Amino acid sequence: MTTMQTTAPARSSRTPFLVELYRSALGKKYVMAITGLIFMGYVLAHMLGNLKLYQGAEEFNTYADFLRRLLYPIMPESATLNLMRVVLVIALVLHVVAAAQLTAMNRKARPERYRSKRDFVAADFAARTMRWTGVIVLLFVIYHLADFTWGWVNPAPEGASIYERVVASFQVPAISAFYLVANLALGVHLYHGVWSLFQSMGWVSRRFNHWRRMLAVGFTVVVIGGNLSFPIAVLTGIID
Amino acid sequence: MNLTLRVWRQAGPDAPGRFETYEAKGISEDSSFLEMLDTVNEELVAEGEEPIEFMHDCREGICGTCGLMINGRAHGPELGTATCQLHMRTYSDGDELVIEPFRAAGFPIIKDLVVGRSAFDRIIEAGGYVTVDTGSAPDANLTPVPKETADLAMDAAACIGCGACVAACPNGAAQLFTSAKISQLNVLPQGQPERYQRTLGMVEVMEEHFGSCTNMGECEAACPKGISIDFIAMMNKDYRKATFAGRKAG
Ligand code: SF4
Ligand code: FES
């Protein structure tokens, strides 16, 4: 039922579409959603790849090597991996900056808080704690990189393989505990985020709407289930 | 029944406010919430005190004037019910009710429980209309509208502009109101010529006054007319298209 959709106001024709979109809060929500989608792809691939831990050191280290040589020799060694890292870092910065800007806007929109206790009906725990789960995940990501990617805080001796680093780390209960907590926070973040991005992207259809929550739950359970299993498997000696 | 009220009293826009405690005695459970406040006010006037100012007009759930935050819920605990349609049978003898005004930067307090909602008018002015020839009335079936489309537009048009969505939103966002007012026109053939202009204009003004949506759905639960957050997603989609089209047109 689209007849004559004409006359959109002619404004700032030289500004690129995405920059124009980012100016508004609605546009920033698009940025949150699109970068969120990138992270969804990333956390799913990350979890699936790490399942190789269960196949032993050799398989796992070969997988790590494969990542480094992705698309090699078309691309120089590590180039594809680094490219993906660049995309992820840009997405992360956008996600965090947009979130901070929107949070500031929302604080301003209710300068006087309610004095009585709010009785929420629909706003669940996950939705109301996105900022905090987000911050926990962010801190965890930094630690996680320092542990496994850069090896700065990893307990394994210098020159250890990635498999040895993973096992050495998870054998320390405190590290495993932090890992478990951070993944639960990520799960809570995903539970709301995966559902929420459909709204922000304007993906709505009365026929498919009920699938959105199911997808969010399914995705969260799969990714977080897999992630949580790794430290537990190391602590219980299934992986050593 | 007898109730204890803790009511927000504020003499003016910039005056400091505070809760005052009142006893509402001998309230009939058949009376409405606003009638209960009337009863309390009569006593206050009899005692020579300032009555509690609150918003009301039609008292039949259709004008969107009333609106109170009652025990942390906009329009009180009944779903799909405006404050004026809330009845005292919802409560039991001895209950304590905390009554606050709707709070948002876009809804400044004028006095006690009365807030200004002119920001909504600014949003409507930015595109919540269709430009039509105001000559003689057009033929009724000149523009055919499919049944589903008409129903959808009617669902959006049910919004009475009460502002409970903003009041309930933890972010003080006006997405539900704005998307309803955009959608009621954007889904109809008559709304097409100004569709994108309308969307860009109304969203822009909305963002000047209110917060940003985080898809919590609290607005939908507070809405006395059951406006669906589907309209928010539809607005987001039209906004994306409008931004893209606006760039091409320029
Ligand atoms: S969307 Fe619902 S809650 Fe918001 S102004 Fe309209 S009727 Fe009131
Ligand atoms: S007074 Fe008109 S809707 Fe409540």
Side-chain angles (χ1 to χ4, degrees), chain B residues 34 55-66 82-84 160:
Chain B
L34 299 185
M55 309 177 286
H56 64 103
D57 189 15
C58 71
R59 299 211 179 189
E60 49 189 25
I62 53 169
C63 75
T65 307
C66 62
T83 305
C84 61
I160 53 176

Side-chain angles (χ1 to χ4, degrees), chain B residues 16-28:
Chain B
R18 70 204 148 90
F19 281 114
E20 291 283 353
T21 307
Y22 302 99
E23 300 297 330
K25 293 211 168 64
I27 302 294
S28 155

Side-chain angles (χ1 to χ4, degrees), chain A residues 1 5 7 24-26 29-30 106 109-110 114-116 118-119 121-123 192 195-196 199 201-202 206 209, chain B residues 72-73 100 103 105 166-169 175 187 193 195-196 207 212-215 218 229-230 233 236 239-240:
Chain A
M1 193 228 50
Q5 289 168 22
T7 60
S24 64
L26 244 62
K29 290 298 292 189
Y30 269 100
N106 292 344
R110 174 153 305 124
Y114 284 106
R115 305 302 199 284
S116 50
R118 287 299 309 273
D119 176 11
V121 191
H192 180 69
W195 177 83
S196 176
Q199 281 289 111
M201 298 289 292
R206 297 231 154 142
N209 275 356
Chain B
R73 295 266 289 268
E100 268 191 274
R103 291 189 191 274
V166 173
C169 176
Q175 247 77 1
V187 301
R195 181 174 185 165
Y196 291 156
E207 292 184 353
S212 160
C213 178
T214 54
N215 303 317
E218 200 60 29
I229 56 171
D230 287 1
N236 292 344
Y239 185 78
R240 184 216 316 147

Side-chain angles (χ1 to χ4, degrees), chain B residues 75 120 158-166 176-177 180-181 219 222-227:
Chain B
H75 286 312
F120 272 10
C159 167
I160 53 176
C162 63
C165 43
V166 173
L176 196 63
F177 166 80
K181 295 300 179 193
C219 51
C223 176
K225 297 296 148 187
I227 305 289

Side-chain angles (χ1 to χ4, degrees), chain B residues 34-242:
Chain B
L34 299 185
E35 283 164 346
M36 182 274 291
L37 288 179
D38 290 337
T39 311
V40 173
N41 271 346
E42 272 165 28
E43 272 178 41
L44 285 178
V45 172
E47 289 162 18
E49 285 185 50
E50 283 266 312
I52 303 160
E53 296 279 351
F54 59 89
M55 309 177 286
H56 64 103
D57 189 15
C58 71
R59 299 211 179 189
E60 49 189 25
I62 53 169
C63 75
T65 307
C66 62
L68 296 172
M69 204 72 183
I70 306 163
N71 286 352
R73 295 266 289 268
H75 286 312
E78 294 283 345
L79 293 181
T81 307
T83 305
C84 61
Q85 293 296 290
L86 181 64
H87 283 81
M88 294 314 292
R89 52 181 162 272
T90 317
Y91 300 101
S92 333
D93 187 50
D95 278 358
E96 189 193 63
L97 304 179
V98 185
I99 307 169
E100 268 191 274
F102 285 175
R103 291 189 191 274
F107 290 169
I109 296 179
I110 295 169
K111 192 175 182 195
D112 295 341
L113 304 170
V114 179
V115 300
R117 284 167 294 186
S118 312
F120 272 10
D121 300 331
R122 302 292 91 75
I123 296 175
I124 297 294
E125 283 164 9
Y129 49 79
V130 285
T131 310
V132 290
D133 189 349
T134 53
S136 55
D139 208 9
N141 291 320
L142 201 62
T143 313
V145 180
K147 172 86 167 74
E148 302 81 65
T149 309
D151 287 350
L152 190 64
M154 277 307 292
D155 286 348
C159 167
I160 53 176
C162 63
C165 43
V166 173
C169 176
N171 306 312
Q175 247 77 1
L176 196 63
F177 166 80
T178 311
S179 69
K181 295 300 179 193
I182 289 178
S183 301
Q184 64 180 5
L185 301 173
N186 276 12
V187 301
L188 289 173
Q190 292 88 338
Q192 298 313 309
E194 291 155 313
R195 181 174 185 165
Y196 291 156
Q197 236 172 316
R198 168 181 308 116
T199 311
L200 291 175
M202 291 175 76
V203 167
E204 192 175 323
V205 176
M206 171 186 81
E207 292 184 353
E208 280 166 23
H209 296 278
F210 298 99
S212 160
C213 178
T214 54
N215 303 317
M216 300 205 202
E218 200 60 29
C219 51
E220 186 182 66
C223 176
K225 297 296 148 187
I227 305 289
S228 163
I229 56 171
D230 287 1
F231 290 118
I232 296 179
M234 288 163 64
M235 172 177 75
N236 292 344
K237 183 155 128 198
D238 272 6
Y239 185 78
R240 184 216 316 147
K241 287 187 184 170

